[in-house]
Amino acid sequence: MGGGMYLKEKSHIYNRVVSAVLTVVLIFSCWIYTPVGVSASTSSVSYPVTASVTRGGVPLKLRSRPTTASSILAEIPRGSSVTITGRYNSGWYSASYNGKNGYVSAKYIIMPSAGSASGGSTGYPLSGKVTNGGVPLKLRSRPTTASSILAKIPRGSSITITGRYNSGWYSASYNGKSGYVSSTYVILQGSGSSGSSGNTSDGTVSAPSKPVVTYKYNPVRLDVPYYWQYDSRWVNLRIGNSRNTIKTAGCVICGLAGIESYRTGTVITPADELKKRSFTSTGAIYWPAGTTAYYGKDYLEVIYKQLQAKNPVLLGGYSKDKEQHWISVIGYAGQGNTLRASDFIINDSCFKNHSRLSDYLAMYPDFYKIVYYKN
């Protein structure tokens, strides 16, 4: 395997891994035709509005037609937010959830109070301001960092936010292109209609009458470059005087190169990093001065704290066959009060399809340690 024999380490240790739990609330606003026969009692409501699901342990069904005999398009958990686009009759609303349009039973929906947001608690489209650092914010084709880049948006630019996909991503429009942007780097500036919506501390939009929700863990992402071990520019470079090469044991070197590039604001490739470091006769690295290591079981908490301090982390572990491999933890996509491995964002120099810590842990379940620079 390309990442087969992975570097062990000596001396100082480069450690840092984050894990977090994300409570996902998917809201994708979309208009749907409201049939004739709307109840007069709903005339004071200006659709679309955002409402909450109150059903018990059984998810609420989004159906293709306003009848329980119709097909189920989606199941909506209790406490989720749905976009109500109209009222079909006294028993059913037309609704949108996760990009699907259908109908939900009115019995299990709590509508916002009439005075809270006369057009809905989210009033998209909104104007947003990009707050990303020196690196432009990416408008992507899908709500994932693995998707293609449609446009690069400079810091300070204004963009149109058309909806909220989940707690980590907005659907957005910029220069005639539509896609998704990370909500971490966008400041919402108010409702596109009434201007009555406000920003909460986590960047989400809520009606003024609703309390601000705060979470222990929130999204964070560091712009750490990704380097692939099998890049032809360095794949066959030898590690010190050992028989190992970047191809066979270059995960630590590639991870360090990305972190050093981020820390210094310059481009440092694995070939450059290889020249800077010292190794044992077997290819084990002497960790850079200023790094420290952590071996505790609560390493996810330590990683998250380091990420909040703008400090990326190297994490090492073992497969069931005792094969060692290292990755870089560069962000957290979740939001809530519990950390979850599937919400930590990683760079894996050996496996391009690994984007989350949970992907890595599925192959390398035995945690060894994390290494990071001491602040």
Side-chain angles (χ1 to χ4, degrees), residues 25-38:
V25 178
L26 299 176
I27 305 175
F28 191 90
S29 297
C30 181
W31 285 94
I32 187 171
Y33 175 73
T34 305
V36 177
V38 175

Side-chain angles (χ1 to χ4, degrees), residues 329-365:
V329 183
I330 63 170
Y332 187 73
Q335 188 172 52
N337 297 316
T338 307
L339 290 174
R340 190 169 60 188
S342 59
D343 288 326
F344 282 98
I345 304 169
I346 66 170
N347 281 346
D348 189 328
S349 63
C350 186
F351 302 98
K352 285 185 174 181
N353 62 327
H354 286 182
S355 62
R356 298 301 173 97
L357 180 57
S358 54
D359 299 329
Y360 167 83
L361 293 176
M363 292 183 64
Y364 300 89

